């Protein structure tokens, strides 16, 4: 069973000639439709995130400023990031869509949820919009879960490092943040030696990979670098920052993945969930509409046991050495942090 | 020895940023410091114009000649990220600046608004002193 929370953002938060655009939502929904799920898909209406829910991860001063900025008509927040008059409500619905997805899974205790919402979230910091992102949608959901004593694994396979999510949970032992991302590339953070704060050493896993890398390299990164941390953490929930801009057709980056690679990744990550009904995908990037549609269909198909595979998984690109190096550098950083680092013990 | 050895100045090609670069060059001449002109490559610049940084570097070479500063004291650094983060990182290696300089509006930011102002964000988060050069104040 697929639970779609949304779609939201299909017409609002419009920056005109900007790649993070409303038409992305129609492309994503076309990908869902390509699976012909019939009664196996349930559409859930997004909530509007409330101030208390947002304040778990954002400063209230920032939230107030953003609301006022949009109310005054919006504009450019940095060279990449815009807000329009309706962006404040769009952002709260995108954040609320995640919360609605979590609730829907809790009620069913079964299925997989997909948050079809924009603006995206993983670059948004506690006190600042960045990289097309206003509110950190996945962080708001993860924080709602940890407030309920859950242990949350976030896997971020967007081609860009999720600097906002990492920063928000940097010192939180109840969230394990795992990111694979092209390096070097915006936002410039996410080295393998960034392993978490003093209370959460090891709870951040970064695997930078080079331009041209294929799907086998990303799978190797998860298997060889992230898996020990995931096993140690033993998550109760798994959230995915599902950007599809690592696809070879994407105009914003230079990895060489196919839609089939996202299917493989989805199968791997789904295996980390403690039981059915504990896996939520959040839409992040993905700016080539055709690649986005195919990648969404392949990813969801894999999770639902469908055989839909429009493109084969890829292999043979560069980056295996960089993954091995990331593992060695991470191990070194963990050792320097001390053998009795708090995160090496499970926190219940 | 001057406490100022390396000045980092943000540069996005705007007039405000040019004013900041001129101000940094003048200060560097007076105290004998090096200047690192720092350019941030954001998501859109990476996608749309991968040659933009090359053009900006040529502008910096022109500004260097105009200022009469020793070209050996001027360095060019391109970093991935938003302008604020890239400048905050300029405090660490390889740039290792001990002063940050920006134009009053920052790189592509909004004038007069707290939100989206690179100079405001820098002032809040930087770990070394920050100079904000008001527009039109260069050479005064
Ligand atoms: Zn991305």
């Amino acid at each position: 069973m697929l639970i779609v929370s949304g779609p939201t953002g299909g017409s609002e938060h419009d920056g005109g000639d900007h790649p993070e655009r409303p038409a992305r939502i129609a492309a994503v929904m076309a990908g869902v439709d390509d699976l012909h799920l019939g009664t196996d898909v349930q559409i859930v209406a997004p909530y509007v995130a409330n101030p208390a829910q947002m304040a778990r991860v954002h400063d209230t001063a920032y939230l107030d400023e953003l609301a006022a900025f949009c109310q005054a008509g919006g504009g450019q927040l940095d060279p990449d990031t815009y807000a329009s008059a309706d962006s404040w409500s769009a952002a709260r619905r995108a954040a609320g869509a995640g919360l609605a997805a979590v609730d829907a899974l809790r009620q069913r205790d079964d299925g997989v949820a997909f948050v079809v919402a924009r603006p995206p979230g993983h670059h948004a910091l506690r006190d600042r919009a960045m990289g097309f992102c206003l509110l950190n949608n996945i962080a708001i959901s993860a924080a709602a879960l940890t407030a309920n004593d859950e242990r949350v694994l976030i896997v971020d396979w967007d081609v860009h490092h999720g600097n906002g999510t990492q920063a928000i949970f940097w010192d939180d032992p109840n969230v394990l943040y795992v990111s694979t991302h092209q390096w070097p590339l915006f936002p410039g953070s996410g080295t393998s030696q960034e392993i978490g704060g003093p209370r959460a050493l090891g709870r951040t896993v970064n695997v930078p990979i080079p331009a041209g890398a294929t799907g086998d390299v990303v799978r190797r990164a998860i298997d060889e670098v992230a898996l020990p941390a995931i096993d140690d953490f033993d998550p109760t929930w798994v959230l995915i920052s599902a950007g599809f801009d690592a696809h070879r057709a994407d105009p914003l980056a230079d990895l060489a993945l196919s839609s089939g690679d996202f299917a493989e990744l989805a199968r791997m990550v789904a295996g980390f969930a403690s039981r059915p009904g504990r896996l939520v995908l959040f839409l992040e990037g993905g700016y080539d509409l055709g690649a986005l549609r195919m990648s969404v269909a392949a990813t969801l198909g894999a999770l639902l046991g469908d055989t839909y595979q429009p493109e084969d998984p890829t292999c043979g690109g560069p980056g295996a050495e960089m993954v091995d190096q990331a593992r060695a550098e991470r191990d070194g950083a963990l050792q320097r942090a001390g053998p009795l680092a708090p995160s090496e013990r499970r926190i219940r | 020895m001057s406490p100022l050895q390396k000045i980092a100045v943000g540069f996005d090609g705007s007039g405000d940023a040019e004013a900041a670069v001129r101000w940094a060059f003048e200060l560097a001449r007076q105290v004998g410091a090096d200047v690192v002109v720092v350019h941030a490559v954001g998501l859109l610049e990476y996608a749309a114009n991968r040659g933009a940084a090359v053009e900006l570097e040529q502008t910096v070479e022109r500004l260097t000649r105009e200022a009469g500063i020793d070209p050996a004291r001027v360095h060019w650094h391109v970093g991935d990220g938003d302008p604020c983060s890239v400048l905050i990182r300029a405090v660490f290696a390889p740039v290792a600046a001990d002063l940050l300089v920006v134009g009053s509006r920052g790189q592509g930011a909004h004038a007069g608004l707290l939100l989206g102002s690179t100079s405001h964000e820098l002032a809040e988060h930087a770990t070394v002193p920050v100079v904000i050069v008001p527009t039109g104040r260069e050479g005064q």
Side-chain angles (χ1 to χ4, degrees):
Chain A
M1 165 66 74
L2 174 69
I3 292 162
V4 169
S5 184
T8 177
S11 58
E12 58 271 57
H13 183 62
D14 190 346
D17 184 23
H18 192 287
E20 204 295 284
R21 58 204 190 277
R24 298 178 62 234
I25 295 295
V28 167
M29 290 309 292
V32 174
D33 290 344
D34 286 341
L35 292 171
H36 304 291
L37 292 172
T39 55
D40 266 353
V41 60
Q42 186 195 340
I43 304 285
V44 168
Y47 305 155
V48 175
N50 69 38
Q53 291 161 338
M54 294 185 285
R56 286 197 185 104
V57 311
H58 291 291
D59 289 348
T60 51
Y62 165 65
L63 296 170
D64 293 345
E65 278 181 24
L66 183 61
F69 184 76
C70 294
Q71 197 171 26
Q76 242 5 76
L77 289 162
D78 68 24
D80 292 321
T81 314
Y82 67 90
S84 45
D86 57 1
S87 296
W88 174 240
S89 62
R92 277 183 302 156
R93 282 171 66 84
L99 298 166
V102 166
D103 275 357
L105 286 184
R106 266 207 198 106
Q107 281 159 19
R108 301 187 62 92
D109 248 346
D110 192 23
V112 172
F114 183 29
V115 180
V116 183
R118 55 175 292 282
H122 73 150
H123 295 305
L125 294 156
R126 196 168 276 284
D127 62 351
R128 188 147 62 95
M130 190 176 151
F132 310 166
C133 303
L134 303 180
L135 299 176
N136 198 313
N137 306 324
I138 198 166
I140 288 170
S141 282
L145 285 166
T146 58
N148 246 325
D149 296 325
E150 302 286 357
R151 291 187 309 281
V152 181
L153 166 64
I154 297 176
V155 176
D156 186 332
W157 70 47
D158 187 281
V159 78
H160 303 99
H161 180 239
N163 61 300
T165 312
Q166 171 175 302
I168 286 165
F169 297 118
W170 181 248
D171 209 17
D172 186 337
N174 295 312
V175 175
L176 173 60
Y177 176 73
V178 174
S179 177
T180 57
H181 43 271
Q182 183 182 327
W183 182 273
L185 188 68
F186 182 96
S189 52
T191 69
S192 53
Q193 292 172 62
E194 294 166 35
I195 57 169
R199 285 189 340 118
L201 287 167
R203 292 285 193 261
T204 293
V205 182
N206 286 304
V207 193
I209 54 181
T214 40
D216 54 332
V217 173
V218 181
R219 290 189 287 279
R220 184 188 184 102
I222 302 283
D223 253 347
E224 295 196 358
V225 188
L227 202 54
I230 295 169
D231 282 344
D232 172 64
F233 181 65
D234 190 22
T236 57
W237 280 75
V238 179
L239 312 184
I240 302 177
S241 263
F244 297 100
D245 41 9
H247 192 281
R248 58 195 171 202
D250 197 274
L252 260 63
D254 294 300
L255 292 193
L257 273 63
S258 68
S259 55
D261 289 314
F262 291 111
E264 296 286 310
L265 277 172
R267 267 189 216 103
M268 271 178 99
V269 176
F272 303 142
S274 59
R275 56 192 171 104
R278 293 295 180 265
L279 177 67
V280 188
L281 294 89
F282 291 72
L283 179 66
E284 300 280 4
Y287 305 98
D288 179 276
L289 298 184
L292 182 58
R293 174 177 180 166
M294 263 193 299
S295 300
V296 163
T299 301
L300 299 176
L303 293 173
L304 298 170
D306 201 286
T307 54
Y308 183 84
Q309 185 138 311
E311 296 171 328
D312 288 335
T314 61
C315 60
E321 304 76 16
M322 205 158 159
V323 170
D324 294 345
Q325 187 190 337
R327 182 180 181 169
E329 285 176 359
R330 175 179 168 80
D331 287 349
L334 281 168
Q335 259 168 19
R336 283 193 299 279
L340 291 173
S343 66
E344 300 308 299
R345 302 189 301 271
R346 186 164 298 153
I347 291 164
R348 297 253 176 217
Chain B
M1 189 176 71
S2 162
L4 275 186
Q5 297 189 28
K6 219 183 236 183
I7 302 165
V9 54
F11 187 61
D12 65 354
S14 68
D16 298 318
E18 280 200 21
V21 170
R22 285 198 196 92
W23 190 92
F25 282 173
E26 181 55 33
L27 176 65
R29 270 187 348 121
Q30 287 176 22
V31 303
D34 280 19
V35 179
V36 185
V37 182
V38 174
H39 176 63
V41 178
L43 289 164
L44 295 180
E45 182 175 316
Y46 184 88
N49 185 4
R50 299 184 191 190
V54 176
E55 289 167 31
L56 292 177
E57 188 176 6
Q58 288 164 357
T59 306
V60 171
E61 285 165 9
R62 172 176 61 77
L63 293 172
T64 304
R65 286 194 300 275
E66 287 173 6
I69 186 173
D70 179 2
R73 286 216 172 269
V74 178
H75 313 275
W76 174 242
H77 175 79
V78 176
D80 290 295
D82 69 303
C84 186
S85 309
V86 170
L87 272 166
I88 286 171
R89 280 201 297 269
V91 168
F92 305 103
V95 177
D98 36 31
L99 181 74
L100 302 177
V101 179
V102 282
S104 57
R105 282 147 67 94
Q107 299 188 337
H110 245 261
L113 272 164
L114 217 54
L115 194 71
S117 154
T118 300
S119 46
H120 169 76
E121 296 288 347
L122 264 186
E124 200 165 312
H125 295 289
T127 51
V128 299
V130 176
V131 172
I132 299 164
V133 181
T135 307
R137 293 285 295 184
E138 72 273 24
Q140 290 187 19

